[in-house]
Amino acid sequence: MAIIESMAELEAIYGPLGAVGEASTAKVADHVTPDYARFIAAAPFLALATAGPEGLDCSPRGDRPGFVRVADARTLLLPDRRGNNRVDSLRNIVRDGRVGLMFLIPGIGNALRINGRAHLETDAALLDSFAVDGKPPRTVTVVRVAEVYFQCARALIRSGLWKPESRVDPASLPTPGQILAGMSQGRVGGEDYDRNWAERARQTMW
């Protein structure tokens, strides 16, 4: 096993930072440009990366396209919709504001990446402005943008993520109910969990 333990060893393989092509650096902005704002407005999904005392976390966030609001060129607003209530990401943000966001748009190969710092807001008027079906989020994550750029399409092309033939048959994988039942020795999960999931999700989507 040959472990890379220094920047010099890493750069011997990939080259120094200064050797990166102009296309890899010219795309980086310290604010949301009009072009990048169009990506954000079209995205129904992002992955939110945070850091805290217990380690790192990466959590999915999804909603109707445009659910992340561009308040201004350096500020994004992200409503916290209902989930499993672990609030791993929110706990991290309260203690360490560093965040990374990766936006994905179905059918589009390029991802949009944003790095910055975040805090949580509970202003009633702000929460109400994000209400869906009369249900506001409990918090809004305010992201102060430090870096914005698009990620080239190679990873999504290699993965075939958006190709219909790449879809996996759900029956080929364990269900959430099966996983829960196995890990809890049957205390939670099972067939009832899977059978009732769609209705639970419908009632608690917002």
Side-chain angles (χ1 to χ4, degrees):
M1 182 181 296
I3 300 175
I4 296 174
E5 297 181 328
S6 70
M7 292 300 296
E9 292 174 303
L10 183 65
E11 291 180 353
I13 299 172
Y14 291 97
L17 179 61
V20 173
E22 185 176 4
S24 295
T25 56
K27 63 185 179 183
V28 181
D30 63 0
H31 63 284
V32 179
T33 68
D35 285 336
Y36 286 152
R38 292 177 64 185
F39 273 79
I40 294 170
F45 177 87
L46 65 86
L48 172 64
T50 59
E54 293 82 17
L56 304 177
D57 182 73
C58 188
S59 176
R61 293 290 190 270
D63 208 332
R64 297 165 181 171
F67 72 103
V68 176
R69 186 181 301 167
V70 180
D72 58 55
R74 295 183 185 274
T75 310
L76 302 181
L77 304 176
L78 168 61
D80 186 61
R81 300 302 184 193
R82 295 186 67 164
N84 57 20
N85 216 41
R86 287 177 54 105
V87 296
D88 296 311
S89 301
L90 305 187
R91 293 178 194 275
N92 283 348
I93 288 171
V94 167
R95 297 175 295 177
D96 183 334
R98 293 176 295 168
V99 295
L101 295 79
M102 179 176 288
F103 293 82
L104 293 179
I105 304 170
I108 302 299
N110 295 304
L112 181 68
R113 297 177 60 176
I114 295 180
N115 297 316
R117 298 190 67 85
H119 67 269
L120 305 181
E121 289 274 2
T122 59
D123 176 76
L126 178 61
L127 300 182
D128 287 343
S129 74
F130 281 100
V132 176
D133 294 340
K135 300 175 183 177
R138 285 182 285 181
T139 61
V140 169
T141 299
V142 179
V143 179
R144 302 300 184 189
V145 174
E147 189 175 43
V148 188
Y149 57 96
F150 71 86
Q151 183 78 35
C152 78
R154 289 187 184 88
L156 294 184
I157 291 173
R158 286 192 295 262
S159 70
L161 185 62
W162 306 131
K163 293 181 178 180
E165 60 268 30
S166 295
R167 293 174 67 94
V168 175
D169 180 2
S172 68
L173 295 173
T175 67
Q178 290 169 340
I179 294 171
L180 284 168
M183 296 187 70
S184 69
Q185 290 75 53
R187 293 190 305 275
V188 294
E191 292 182 4
D192 286 345
Y193 182 94
D194 292 328
R195 185 181 305 111
N196 297 327
W197 161 246
E199 180 60 19
R200 287 199 309 274
R202 186 189 69 79
Q203 293 181 5
T204 62
M205 187 60 65
W206 308 111

